[in-house]
Amino acid sequence: MSHILDTPHPTHTILRGNIYYLNVRVPKEQQQLYGRVVRSRLSDDRNAAAQLADHIVSVLRETWRTGSSSKVDVETLVSSAKPKTFLMSDLVDEYVRVRQIDPSPVFVATRLLYEVVGDRDVRHYSREDARTFLHHLQASGNKTSTLRKRLVCIGAVLNYAYQELEIEKRNPFSKMTIVGEGKDAVKRGSFTDEQLLEGYKQALLSTSNVQLLFPILGETGCRLAEVVGLRLEDVDLENRVLHLRPNTHRRLKTSGSERSIPLSSMACAALTKALQHSDDEWVFPRYIKEDGCYATHASNALAKWMKRRWGMTAQ
């Protein structure tokens, strides 16, 4: 592609105003089908016009070489071959859908990106954009762990875009240096047996499904998303077993995460009460949306409750 970028004027084109047009002489034996010259509007972008012209001319020449009596529809060829503009927002939706992940962290990160440097063609983001984005996050008072999460989200979407669109470009959001990373981390405490039992009892007396997550997590050792994304069919209270398996709204972290867990009496009690507020499909329907399982929302609500009660969150 380097020869295209270095060409002062794309071959097989003419410039009218600021628009490049295809301009190809037709061999005598083909002029009855095409006329003496093939001409078609291409683009106002020099590089895009050069790419289109090279592609169309190669197709025409191969057709003419074989002596085909069928005429190539140049207008259709131009339309189908035109480079597309790949907006970040378009690729984000596709990335979340294909990867089947919790969309919340990705959407939060990209929304902030649009506010700072705009929603643009993924090919046009630069290292300077990444630095500007990072500076904005730092100025907003985010912890370094949050900064890293935001950068990782953006970087993951761009990696996906570059792979799917066959773009050879270094990811500008990768390997960003965050000054003082990790030094602002606050060590979380651990719960005593007394605190756990106290929390379990309060959860079972509460009408809040968020609090019911506390004993279920504590007794099963499951990840939060695994519990929040449970279907009714995953809970077998008769045999005191919890089945962890992927579904349409929540995948599991690894293939080895699919498993069955025995339930303690406390976990059974919490799940029994949670089922009283379930719908006909989900144990915790409040956190199930059309586009996925919103475990982050449940995590934030649970963390607030634990912080109010003990001034800390669980590790």
Side-chain angles (χ1 to χ4, degrees):
M1 299 298 293
S2 60
H3 70 285
I4 292 176
L5 297 177
D6 295 336
T7 303
H9 185 89
T11 56
H12 308 297
T13 69
I14 57 175
L15 187 63
R16 294 288 181 266
N18 65 339
I19 304 296
Y20 289 93
Y21 288 81
L22 179 71
N23 191 65
V24 184
R25 291 181 180 275
V26 180
K28 280 188 177 181
E29 56 272 22
Q30 295 290 336
Q31 287 182 6
Q32 187 173 352
L33 278 176
Y34 293 88
R36 296 179 59 187
V37 176
V38 172
R39 187 168 293 166
S40 181
R41 179 188 173 112
L42 296 177
S43 173
D44 60 357
D45 180 87
R46 181 174 66 85
N47 293 330
Q51 291 176 324
L52 283 167
D54 280 359
H55 172 67
I56 294 164
V57 169
S58 69
V59 172
L60 288 172
R61 284 179 173 172
E62 180 60 23
T63 303
W64 295 340
R65 185 188 67 78
T66 62
S68 173
S69 59
S70 298
K71 182 180 178 180
V72 172
D73 187 332
V74 176
E75 295 300 326
T76 300
L77 191 60
V78 171
S79 178
S80 62
K82 276 188 177 181
K84 297 178 181 178
T85 299
F86 298 100
L87 281 179
M88 183 70 164
S89 54
D90 295 333
L91 270 300
V92 167
D93 291 338
E94 181 180 320
Y95 170 75
V96 168
R97 184 178 68 256
V98 171
R99 296 289 193 236
Q100 295 186 331
I101 58 175
D102 179 3
S104 301
V106 180
F107 288 161
V108 168
T110 51
R111 176 179 54 78
L112 291 170
L113 179 72
Y114 305 154
E115 291 175 0
V116 178
V117 297
D119 178 16
R120 291 191 265 147
D121 188 307
V122 293
R123 294 168 292 187
H124 299 160
Y125 286 109
S126 66
R127 192 67 166 183
E128 186 58 35
D129 292 327
R131 294 192 190 97
T132 301
F133 180 61
L134 177 57
H135 178 73
H136 172 78
L137 294 178
Q138 290 170 322
S140 299
N142 293 284
K143 288 188 176 182
T144 56
S145 60
T146 300
L147 304 182
R148 181 60 66 191
K149 287 176 184 176
R150 301 284 186 260
L151 292 172
V152 167
C153 284
I154 301 298
V157 175
L158 289 178
N159 282 336
Y160 172 81
Y162 295 166
Q163 175 183 309
E164 294 302 309
L165 304 177
E166 298 183 321
I167 298 171
E168 293 187 8
K169 176 181 171 68
R170 181 181 180 276
N171 192 327
F173 286 79
S174 68
K175 298 182 180 179
M176 293 288 291
T177 300
I178 300 175
V179 177
E181 184 169 8
K183 293 182 179 179
D184 56 353
V186 178
K187 186 176 181 180
R188 295 177 177 178
S190 57
F191 292 100
T192 65
D193 291 343
E194 291 76 15
Q195 286 175 324
L196 283 175
L197 289 174
E198 179 190 352
Y200 291 174
K201 289 176 182 178
Q202 179 173 328
L204 291 173
L205 292 172
S206 171
T207 57
S208 168
N209 267 17
V210 170
Q211 293 183 32
L212 287 173
L213 289 169
F214 186 74
I216 299 171
L217 293 170
E219 291 295 288
T220 63
C222 292
R223 300 181 181 96
L224 183 64
E226 291 176 334
V227 175
V228 174
L230 286 171
R231 290 182 181 272
L232 298 189
E233 63 198 40
D234 297 328
V235 182
D236 182 356
L237 292 177
E238 183 178 349
N239 294 302
R240 298 167 67 110
V241 176
L242 190 66
H243 300 289
L244 280 303
R245 44 202 172 196
N247 57 54
T248 56
H249 285 61
R250 186 263 288 129
R251 66 174 189 170
L252 298 179
K253 191 168 185 179
T254 66
S255 57
S257 296
E258 187 168 350
R259 61 203 188 278
S260 295
I261 300 173
L263 294 172
S264 67
S265 298
M266 188 65 73
C268 282
L271 283 164
T272 298
K273 188 161 186 178
L275 290 173
Q276 295 173 7
H277 304 284
S278 63
D279 61 13
D280 57 357
E281 184 175 10
W282 304 98
V283 178
F284 294 96
R286 177 179 179 181
Y287 300 109
I288 303 298
K289 310 296 181 184
E290 287 186 7
D291 56 353
C293 170
Y294 279 59
T296 302
H297 289 42
S299 176
N300 293 338
L302 184 61
K304 286 180 181 177
W305 173 67
M306 290 191 290
K307 190 170 184 179
R308 284 197 307 269
R309 185 154 191 84
W310 295 290
M312 62 179 182
T313 56
Q315 242 174 335

